[in-house]
Amino acid sequence: MIFSNIRAIFLGEVDIPASQRDAVSAARRKAFHSLAPLAAIHSLLNAVVLTFAFWNNTAMPLVFVWCYTSAVLVFLRIRDSRAPEVHVDAKTADDRIIRYTLLSGAAWGLIIAMLIASSGSEHDLLLGLFTAAILCVGALLHSSFPLASLGYSLLVGAGACLGMIIGNHAWSINAMLLISATVMALQRFAATNHATDVNRQLANAATQEATETMSLLLQDFEAHSADWLWRVDAEGRLTRPSQRFVDATGLPIETLEGGNILALFAQESAIHLDTLLKQRKPFHDQVLRVAISGRDAWWTLSGQPTSDGGWRGVCSDITRSRDAEARIAYITEFDGLTDLPNRAMLVRQLEIAQADAECGGEGFALFVVDLDNFKTINDTQGHPAGDAYLKVVADRLRDSIGPQAFLARLGGDEFAILKSDVIADEALDLADLIVDALLAPVFLNGKEILAGGSVGVAVAPGNGADPADLMRNAELALYRAKAQGRGCARFFEPGMEEDARVRADLETDLRAALANEAMDVYFQPLVDTRTHKVSGYETLLRWNRPGHGLVSPALFISCAEETGIIVPLGEWVIRKAIEEAAQWKDDVGVAINLSPAQMKNPSLVATIVGALAASQLAPSRLEIEIVESVLMDETEHNIRTLHALRELGVKIALDDFGTGYSSLSYLRAFPFDKIKIDQRFVRDIDSSHENRAIVRAVISLARDLGMRVTAEGVENEQQAAILASLGCTEVQGFLYSRPMPASEVDKKEGAAAHPPTKVRPLRRHASA
Ligand code: C2E
Ligand code: MG
Ligand code: MG
């Protein structure tokens, strides 16, 4: 342990990995040889000084001898330093240096011993300095070989001590102590110097290895990654561009190599990159636009300044992801079908318009447009035709509103227009323009399509404090336009808010009524015109709404349909009506009205089957009444459902016939069991020839198609007599009975006969 510490202190020994030993030893020899010229000059100077100092002295021959010896050694040393070490192993080469150094030390020690022993006190100072110089310079020149340096110092020191002992100098003891201390100090210096050199060399070797590893990793990165490396010199010129880089640019390597990297980028990106390069600070993921002819690309660049003033870094092509991002950004702001801004953009635009208005600008108007019957177009013509129609509508709106207005698609068949700096009259004109533009027929695939649209208008600042208010009020106005027959424009009025509130209350009460089963099913008889007997009853829903009394479905069914309440409500009616009908005579049927929303419900058939099974009612006693719009919406699905019901044995009637758009075509769409002629044709059948003609035609058509006909709304005997004469098979109306509660249906005797002349007393159910 102590021994190894001493070796470490005086020989500067360092643990050198086996892999580095040869390199370290070669490096120390190189360092040693590099000082050969300095050693030669030093020896020469020593020789010159000594020659002059001892010219007339008896020691002069010795000086000459030493000069020759020294010259030989210097020659040997310089030769050694030049000779290539090709055939010499490291140990032999090191040993040669150590031998030479020891020889050199012995030569210096000898001459110093002889000069000190033989010279008088006049040379004390010179010899003292000389000895010190030889020791110091020797330690310096041989520090890369501490063992050699130690031998050299000891030999020189010993020579000096020997000379003093022989010459019997008075200061010998002190000088010897001084020399010993100097030798130790110098040796420690040589050892430290050597250890530092070796450690530095090992560190360099480690760095070199790390660099090589890194370089291998980088090569691997270039070979397998989508990114590539870039390098530029201090002037920004590309150096050794990789194949991947060449591929990414599409330029020949000769053009790329030596070319300025900035030339690859569009002006703004080049300026940005130039600034980054000049700052000489690492940068990351800088998005730059590439400007190589024929390429529209985006790269991200990361870079690290290098010690030679250049840069190196990684580059990746982000064109695709950027395109995708742009696409996503587009989708979040625009509608992909019509390329119009979407709802989010409209809201932003409304906020801007509002801010302008608050800063003293004119008011602005918001138009909400909804296409009438778009759903029918979609269903009957197919979705591609529906899309094409929407595009035509978008173009028409764009043309009619002019460049100053902002047009957006809110989704589905709803559009919105924002017109700034507008006064009420102008808004009115624009609303009419929009309605007219949508009224004109559209030709798609050779077919003429008539749809039209309704418009709701809200004008700021009067009709809304913020975009949401304005939007809601424009929607309320649109709702009114639709309720008033469609194909028109309505401006928002404060009363509409009240209507909306009333409607919201209705919805709340309706939900509560459903939850509490606070509703009733009433029944209105259907009378056979030949037998004058009741053949069945139509189920009509009644609601005793708290604070409002008995309410007819005409008032609340639309609300139930819009809110979806109709589905559970309708299921309740089905169960209730069938349950009641099961208690009637076997030849009395029950009719139940189904709205379009119920038809769409996939569990409808299961509900009916369940109710029939639970009440043991024969399916043939059940009749389902649907209106024409059932055949306009979701046509295929609804017709399938109707067929499924028919297969059960349930009868299907077409209600309110004559009120739809193209009634006759629906008679072909499904083989109905019955047609119910709407009461508007019956109402003035006695006075209107036209209505009578229509009813006659319908009855004859139904007969041809094998369907029964029921006339609704028969209120007097004259109407009944005419209908009977026209061949109508069944009648229904206040003449026979108003709808009545289940408790009043004659159950024991079944259907009571009510000939037209015997009108049932009505007073008790006047409100039904
Ligand atoms: P609807 O199916 O056409 O029913 C006939 C309507 O005419 C009933 O109105 C009935 O009270 C009324 N009515 C019957 N005879 C006369 C008459 O002589 N003169 C006049 N002026 N009216 C007469 P109500 O009960 O108000 O029902 C209106 C509509 O609500 C029904 O028309 C039907 O479409 C619907 N509805 C009724 N109950 C239900 C139901 O449970 N479910 C569904 N989905 N709709 C229902
Ligand atoms: Mg009906
Ligand atoms: Mg009807």
Side-chain angles (χ1 to χ4, degrees), residues 469-544:
D469 271 1
L470 211 58
M471 196 74 145
R472 200 192 54 238
N473 290 342
E475 299 262 5
L476 285 175
L478 171 69
Y479 187 79
R480 175 68 60 87
K482 287 206 159 265
Q484 290 183 346
R486 306 177 169 201
C488 60
R490 288 290 171 269
F491 277 64
F492 171 77
E493 290 159 17
M496 291 176 181
E497 272 171 322
E498 176 60 13
D499 291 353
R501 202 187 51 73
V502 166
R503 214 176 159 68
D505 288 350
L506 179 70
E507 187 187 334
T508 313
D509 288 359
L510 201 53
R511 285 188 194 281
L514 174 64
N516 303 326
E517 297 202 7
M519 290 194 165
D520 284 309
V521 280
Y522 272 44
F523 297 98
Q524 188 179 31
L526 303 159
V527 180
D528 190 310
T529 47
R530 280 171 293 119
T531 62
H532 303 300
K533 282 191 165 182
V534 173
S535 52
Y537 290 88
E538 177 175 6
T539 314
L540 294 163
L541 191 56
R542 291 292 178 270
W543 174 26
N544 197 347

Side-chain angles (χ1 to χ4, degrees), residues 524 538 541-542 552-553 593 598 655-656 679 712 715 734:
Q524 188 179 31
E538 177 175 6
L541 191 56
R542 291 292 178 270
S552 149
N593 291 288
Q598 285 175 271
D655 202 357
D656 299 347
Q679 48 184 276
E712 296 182 308
E715 293 186 353
F734 294 171

Side-chain angles (χ1 to χ4, degrees), residues 54-88:
F54 292 93
W55 186 256
N56 291 324
N57 197 290
T58 47
M60 191 55 197
L62 283 173
V63 173
F64 271 111
V65 170
W66 176 82
C67 278
Y68 283 118
T69 314
S70 178
V72 170
L73 288 174
V74 166
F75 167 76
L76 284 176
R77 181 163 181 178
I78 290 178
R79 192 205 63 176
D80 261 14
S81 69
R82 298 270 157 90
E85 292 184 346
V86 189
H87 301 298
V88 184

